[in-house]
Amino acid sequence: MNSSTELSPQLMAILAGYIPIGLMALTIVCNCFTIYIYAQDVFSKVSETFYLKAMALFDSLLIFQTLGFSLSYAFGIDLKTSSNLACKLLYFASYSFESISTWCEALASLDRCIHISIGGKFKILNRVWFKFTLIGAIFVVNSALYYPMFAYFVLIDMSNQSQNETTIITCLSTNGYYSFVLSWIDLFAKIIVPFSIMFVSTLFLVKSLVSSRKRARVKEWQNITLKSNNSASTALKKSKSREQRDFQFALTSITLNILSLLLNLPITFFTIYDINVESGNDLLFAISNICFYLNLSYKFFLYVWVNVKFREEFLKIFKNF
């Protein structure tokens, strides 16, 4: 996406360059912590952490693919115009990786919903190879959706359309119809379909969580009446511990879904607006761009705030020093 000069170059350098680069650095550091913490033994029995680690990984990969956009505003270094191949690869990766990250979040929400609703009845859902297969299938489908970018995105000399004599090379689609279709593909692949899955999963998750807490209360009283005091106390503690863990991950999943939707919508609708209504609105671009990078960086802080176990493992890292 290219902006006109509605805002001053200095302000655009801050809003579209320096701030996103700072958020990129923060995201990479936070995602390294996320992957490390969720790899600890305390989370080994929590199935959805696989997808949360995958989401952190793809978010980090997306950072490197979108770095060129911010470097062009901050320092005038436009990586995507270095060659036709860079133009095609950077656009393809930025679209496809972001969609995969969103789908990992949808899978995490669905996985949590299934485990709370029906427990461990389907053992295959816990298999690592099955999870890799799911993410691999999503990668293949995304590649199929966005592969036409390799054919239509090329470097274009815009110097004739400029009032000054400087050479202006930009990376754009040569097919206007595909640009129109691409914005709607992005809306469905990144917003409508995955977030519909998250919404339905969240509804079932809340319902199942309420039901499971009621069943847990009944079992607690049964254990108290059938067992000795010590045994009943131990069973009660284990039950409360599992209940607390499920509740924390459910709350994390629900909050993650809501915030991700709110932060993903601006950049998606800006793409549609930019192509179909008005091209080159700097203010809308800057706001939607910052929301895009906030969506990549906030997740770690949500985990620390909501999930007690995650926070304890995070603090252990500094205690070890």
Side-chain angles (χ1 to χ4, degrees):
M1 285 173 286
N2 292 317
S3 298
S4 64
T5 54
E6 292 181 6
L7 299 180
S8 67
Q10 294 81 5
L11 185 57
M12 281 300 293
I14 294 172
L15 295 178
Y18 298 122
I19 292 177
I21 289 173
L23 290 173
M24 288 180 193
L26 177 65
T27 299
I28 292 173
V29 173
C30 290
N31 284 341
C32 288
F33 276 119
T34 298
I35 294 171
Y36 174 79
I37 292 171
Y38 276 138
Q40 301 305 302
D41 291 338
V42 69
F43 295 110
S44 60
K45 294 183 179 180
V46 183
S47 178
E48 73 180 78
T49 56
F50 178 90
Y51 300 114
L52 296 179
K53 288 184 288 186
M55 182 169 62
L57 177 62
F58 279 106
D59 281 348
S60 299
L61 291 174
L62 181 61
I63 287 294
F64 291 106
Q65 303 303 328
T66 57
L67 180 61
F69 295 91
S70 296
L71 286 176
S72 64
Y73 284 100
F75 306 107
I77 304 172
D78 197 346
L79 298 179
K80 64 182 181 296
T81 60
S82 59
S83 68
N84 264 316
L85 181 60
C87 166
K88 298 172 187 293
L89 280 176
L90 288 174
Y91 265 104
F92 171 78
S94 63
Y95 274 86
S96 60
F97 281 4
E98 184 184 3
S99 184
I100 294 171
S101 176
T102 305
W103 273 98
C104 286
E105 185 177 342
L107 289 175
S109 179
L110 186 60
D111 185 87
R112 174 55 29 189
C113 175
I114 292 173
H115 276 82
I116 289 182
S117 301
I118 61 177
K121 292 181 180 179
F122 297 101
K123 299 295 183 182
I124 191 174
L125 297 178
N126 295 323
R127 306 297 184 189
V128 174
W129 66 263
F130 176 78
K131 297 174 183 178
F132 270 114
T133 302
L134 275 181
I135 294 177
I138 291 171
F139 179 80
V140 171
V141 172
N142 272 277
S143 298
L145 285 174
Y146 295 111
Y147 88 92
M149 300 179 83
F150 283 99
Y152 297 130
F153 275 77
V154 294
L155 295 180
I156 299 176
D157 189 347
M158 304 287 289
S159 302
N160 294 333
Q161 302 180 27
S162 175
Q163 296 180 353
N164 53 46
E165 298 181 356
T166 57
T167 301
I168 301 175
I169 304 295
T170 188
C171 178
L172 290 173
S173 171
T174 57
N175 189 315
Y177 177 73
Y178 178 70
S179 297
F180 168 78
V181 172
L182 177 63
S183 62
W184 292 101
I185 288 175
D186 200 44
L187 176 64
F188 276 88
K190 195 176 67 179
I191 299 292
I192 294 179
V193 178
F195 279 98
S196 295
I197 293 174
M198 293 182 206
F199 177 74
V200 174
S201 299
T202 299
L203 290 179
F204 278 101
L205 183 62
V206 172
K207 180 181 178 181
S208 299
L209 195 60
V210 172
S211 300
S212 65
R213 295 188 76 172
K214 290 180 179 179
R215 290 194 299 268
R217 297 298 183 197
V218 173
K219 288 182 179 180
E220 286 172 12
W221 286 108
Q222 289 176 345
N223 287 331
I224 291 174
T225 56
L226 295 175
K227 298 181 180 180
S228 63
N229 290 337
N230 290 337
S231 299
S233 178
T234 302
L236 184 61
K237 288 179 181 179
K238 288 182 178 181
S239 177
K240 286 185 176 180
S241 178
R242 285 194 300 269
E243 182 182 323
Q244 184 182 28
R245 184 194 66 187
D246 287 341
F247 178 76
Q248 287 171 359
F249 272 97
L251 182 59
T252 301
S253 180
I254 293 169
T255 310
L256 198 66
N257 295 348
I258 295 172
L259 289 178
S260 293
L261 177 62
L262 293 177
L263 293 174
N264 260 310
L265 283 174
I267 193 67
T268 304
F269 282 118
F270 171 78
T271 303
I272 297 173
Y273 179 85
D274 189 62
I275 292 173
N276 302 296
V277 181
E278 178 190 2
S279 178
N281 191 309
D282 279 354
L283 182 60
L284 289 179
F285 170 74
I287 293 173
S288 60
N289 197 44
I290 290 175
C291 288
F292 169 78
Y293 288 108
L294 282 174
N295 180 54
L296 301 179
S297 60
Y298 84 92
K299 296 165 188 172
F300 168 81
F301 299 99
L302 175 66
Y303 301 150
V304 172
W305 176 45
V306 175
N307 195 313
V308 175
K309 289 291 183 183
F310 188 94
R311 183 164 62 247
E312 290 175 351
E313 291 298 317
F314 175 62
L315 294 175
K316 280 182 183 180
I317 297 174
F318 297 97
K319 288 180 180 178
N320 290 335
F321 289 102

